[in-house]
């Protein structure tokens, strides 16, 4: 028991160590839509269920879900991807904002946001409708803007990390985001990134990238081997043959045949006489093609039965040959063909097989779940594996944490997202080392900050009036929180707001403003100050990072000299366009004036209430 507890603490230390680690995610972003319905009868027109929609959920998918998982696991996630100027794109932006992902997506008018819509009844997926054509490639202007966004995001992350090279995650699902010029740019700029993770349907497109880690599915791994010409290799005494049809599907598993080599010997024949070369007449092994009854299937763990997943397997390949054995036997070749330091072949509900430079395969296991529970589990696996390797964790540790992150996300239907708190809870570790209320007084702040610093946590500090809390505020605070381990927000008192904004402000008293801020998940502590400047609080907190909103350089922030003298950094974060307290108040006033009733008409219908004038004068 003591050994298990020590192991859990060791793993939790790695999770803590990757907090705030800068990660740039680029690739095919999409929207996952889940429609939950009830059905209690069949329609008259056909033997099909009649569905009554009860609930609809939207979630980030593809590269966007990988970015969400990086952010919720505690990394500093920036997403660069083309997104359409459509309703699905707007929903995707909202998903990214809620997760605290730095949204650096590139608007692509005329190119729709890819969407996967799933209809469920009784927690069973009945159908999936996909929109977004892989033939919708970026035009030259779109490619140029995407490359500009990549370059700017890379430098933005480097600056936020104090000059540290960021981590890069490439998610290429064949939907057109990563055209040849983008791939060439990433290969050319490889040295700008410390750790590079690659998740691609077609790994052959990424020769020269030299990634730190690749995470192919079993189908993607065998597809690469088939194309690389490694069609026949000996595995546990069985000659395995891989065939691949012309024209790969752009999104989904490859249609691949796995069986004995054409004319190859059977497993029991080799075992009986391993030194003899069989004659052509004795070669009775299957030719690698599926039987008519098999269709498109996949070999299961027992080496005999089959399930429909898009990979074709001849079950006569030999008893005891399963996907894990096949993957383990080809790890060295996969590393050679991809140029990766680490290859992690994911096996769906069967876990994963991981291999590194030491040549020692590592097997991890998962718990079988319904398919509707496992959507996006690979994104959680990729995010945790990447963060762990970027934090210099040993490969066995990274593999453990990646599998754990994927496994704990599959408890319910929906797109899988692993939170740092859930990962630490699975390791029986508390997610926070302190237990303080969100709303605190200035006299409490010194002790709280000292406790956080003793725990090795970085402090982000910002201040403002936050009079009418809106989406711009929320996004700004989420981005500020992503810069460090905790966020302290200093709020101007009512008197201070009046001096700064005028006699008609604030609209909301400081008690309400502070309570709303404290309710945000991204805000750790809220403190109220009476002065017009937060200088005294900055002196007390000595923040690692001081954040202000605006599109001006940090040098123009009045508090910048003080923060730098105290050893901190200054960051400015842009607001969401067309979102400001003044604009909202002005819209409310304009709307109220447009609907103002005619006083003369009112007077004709009603007599004035004497008490009304008395109350008005008194107020």
């Amino acid at each position: 028991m003591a050994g298990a507890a020590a192991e859990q603490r060791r793993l939790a230390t790695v999770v803590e160590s990757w907090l705030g680690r800068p990660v740039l995610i680029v690739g095919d972003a999409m929207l996952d839509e889940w429609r939950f319905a009830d059905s209690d009868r069949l329609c008259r027109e056909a033997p099909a269920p009649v569905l009554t929609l009860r609930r609809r959920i939207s979630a980030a998918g593809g590269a966007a879900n990988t970015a969400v998982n990086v952010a919720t696991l505690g990394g500093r996630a920036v997403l660069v991807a083309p997104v359409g100027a459509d309703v699905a794109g707007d929903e995707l932006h909202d998903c990214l904002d809620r997760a605290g992902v730095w949204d650096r997506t590139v608007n692509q008018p005329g190119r729709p946001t890819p969407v996967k819509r799933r209809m469920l009844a009784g927690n069973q997926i009945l159908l999936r409708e996909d929109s977004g054509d892989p033939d919708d490639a970026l035009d030259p202007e779109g490619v140029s803007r995407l490359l500009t966004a990549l370059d700017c995001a890379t430098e933005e992350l480097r600056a936020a990390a104090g000059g540290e090279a960021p981590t890069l995650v490439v998610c290429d699902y064949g939907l057109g985001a990563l055209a040849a010029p983008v791939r060439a740019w990433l290969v050319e700029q490889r040295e700008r990134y410390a750790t590079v993770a690659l998740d691609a349907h077609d790994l052959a497109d990424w020769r020269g990238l030299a990634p730190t880690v690749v995470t192919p599915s079993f189908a993607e791994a065998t597809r690469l081997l088939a194309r690389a010409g490694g069609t026949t290799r000996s595995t546990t005494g069985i000659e395995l043959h891989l065939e691949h049809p012309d024209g790969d599907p752009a999104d989904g598993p490859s249609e691949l045949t796995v069986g004995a080599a054409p004319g190859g010997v059977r497993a029991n024949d080799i075992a009986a006489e391993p030194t003899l070369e069989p004659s052509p007449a004795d070669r009775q092994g299957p030719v690698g093609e599926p039987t008519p009854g098999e269709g498109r299937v996949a070999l299961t763990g027992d080496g005999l039965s089959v399930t429909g997943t898009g990979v074709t397997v001849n079950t006569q390949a030999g008893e005891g040959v399963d996907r894990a054995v096949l993957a383990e036997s080809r790890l060295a070749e996969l590393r050679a063909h991809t140029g990766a330091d680490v290859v992690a072949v994911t096996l769906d509900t069967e876990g994963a097989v991981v291999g590194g430079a030491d040549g020692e395969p590592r097997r991890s296991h998962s718990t079988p779940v319904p398919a509707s529970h496992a959507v996006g589990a690979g994104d959680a696996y990729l995010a945790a594996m990447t963060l762990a390797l970027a934090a210099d964790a040993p490969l066995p540790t990274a593999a453990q944490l990646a599998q754990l992150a994927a496994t704990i996300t599959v408890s319910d239907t929906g797109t899988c997202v692993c939170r740092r708190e859930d990962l630490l809870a699975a390791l029986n570790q508390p997610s926070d080392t302190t237990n303080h209320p969100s709303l605190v007084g200035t006299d409490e702040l010194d002790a709280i900050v000292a406790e956080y610093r003793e725990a090795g946590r970085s402090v982000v500090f910002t201040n403002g009036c936050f009079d009418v809390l809106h989406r711009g505020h929320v996004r700004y605070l989420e981005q500020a929180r992503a810069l460090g381990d905790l966020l302290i927000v200093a709020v101007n008192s009512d008197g201070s707001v009046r001096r700064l904004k005028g006699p008609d402000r604030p609209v909301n008293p400081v008690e309400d403003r502070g309570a709303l801020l404290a309710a945000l998940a991204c805000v750790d502590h809220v403190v109220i100050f009476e002065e017009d400047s937060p200088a005294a609080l900055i002196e007390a907190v000595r923040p690692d990072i001081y954040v202000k909103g605006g599109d001006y350089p940090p040098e123009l922030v009045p508090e910048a000299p003080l923060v730098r003298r105290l050893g901190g950094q200054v960051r400015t974060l842009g607001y969401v366009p067309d979102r400001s307290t003044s604009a909202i108040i002005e819209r409310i006033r304009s709307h109220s004036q447009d609907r103002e009733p005619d006083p003369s008409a009112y007077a004709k219908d009603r007599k004035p209430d004497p008490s009304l004038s008395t109350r008005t004068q008194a107020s």
Side-chain angles (χ1 to χ4, degrees), residues 45-94:
E45 297 85 359
V50 176
L51 303 177
T52 303
L53 184 64
R54 298 300 185 191
R55 186 164 55 107
R56 176 184 174 275
I57 297 175
S58 293
N65 190 45
T66 299
V68 167
N69 274 276
V70 169
T72 56
L73 283 168
R76 187 176 303 163
V78 175
L79 175 65
V80 174
V83 173
D86 49 22
V87 173
D90 292 340
E91 291 192 51
L92 183 55
H93 291 308
D94 289 340

Side-chain angles (χ1 to χ4, degrees), residues 450-511:
E451 190 172 342
Y452 279 120
R453 296 232 188 270
E454 186 177 350
R457 308 182 74 186
S458 59
V459 177
V460 182
F461 181 91
T462 190
N463 63 277
C465 301
F466 300 100
D467 192 1
V468 177
L469 198 63
H470 53 74
R471 178 186 172 189
H473 287 141
V474 174
R475 180 173 176 181
Y476 164 77
L477 292 171
E478 287 174 339
Q479 292 181 343
R481 176 61 174 80
L483 295 173
D485 298 335
L486 75 147
L487 174 63
I488 297 174
V489 179
V491 184
N492 293 78
S493 68
D494 291 346
S496 177
V497 174
R498 278 191 291 271
R499 292 191 294 272
L500 293 171
K501 301 290 186 180
D504 59 343
R505 300 279 298 276
V507 173
N508 294 306
V510 71
E511 294 82 8

Side-chain angles (χ1 to χ4, degrees), residues 137-152:
L138 300 181
D139 57 27
E141 182 183 353
V143 169
S144 176
R145 289 194 290 131
L146 191 69
L147 292 178
T148 300
L150 275 171
D151 186 57
C152 293

